[in-house]
Amino acid sequence: MNAEYGRPTAAELVAAAAEFLEGDVREATGGQVNFHARVAANALRIVERELLAPVESGVRAGLAGLGFADEAGLAAAIRAGELDGRDDELVSCMRALVRHRLAVAHPGYDDE
């Protein structure tokens, strides 16, 4: 978590906005506004988890093992065909990336 700017942190601000939408707004509304408040709260919860979730060591190791510092470099190499023939390494890295993203976007999905 980056507390570079003091408190409240970005994650705390996002959490407070999500709580407001989940509580006050949803309790005071119905229909389409209630639904949109729920969607907005869910989006804010994803942002909150992104802010709080460090990149897993498996993701970093997978990228480094393939010779990349980030996903953008990996994606460019895949498009250019630079990783052809390294399927096992690539699949392992991609699985780690997908697991990490799912943990942020849809916690518990791996448990289902």
Side-chain angles (χ1 to χ4, degrees):
M1 178 169 63
N2 186 349
E4 180 177 326
Y5 299 104
R7 301 222 34 222
T9 64
E12 290 169 339
L13 291 169
V14 168
E19 287 171 17
F20 170 70
L21 290 168
E22 290 167 343
D24 295 350
V25 174
R26 292 207 58 220
E27 290 171 10
T29 61
Q32 189 175 20
V33 172
N34 187 286
F35 173 76
H36 286 286
R38 182 176 181 181
V39 170
N42 285 338
L44 288 170
R45 292 296 184 192
I46 291 170
V47 171
E48 178 187 15
R49 288 187 297 271
E50 283 184 14
L51 290 169
L52 295 173
V55 176
E56 296 176 357
S57 60
V59 171
R60 275 190 250 108
L63 288 168
L66 290 169
F68 301 98
D70 57 30
E71 290 182 48
L74 175 64
I78 291 170
R79 282 191 297 274
E82 295 171 15
L83 296 172
D84 292 354
R86 296 178 69 185
D87 297 349
D88 291 341
E89 294 172 90
L90 181 57
V91 167
S92 177
C93 180
M94 295 303 294
R95 283 187 176 149
L97 286 166
V98 169
R99 271 191 227 99
H100 178 69
R101 284 188 179 200
L102 281 174
V104 170
H106 189 68
Y109 181 82
D110 222 8
D111 301 335
E112 294 176 359

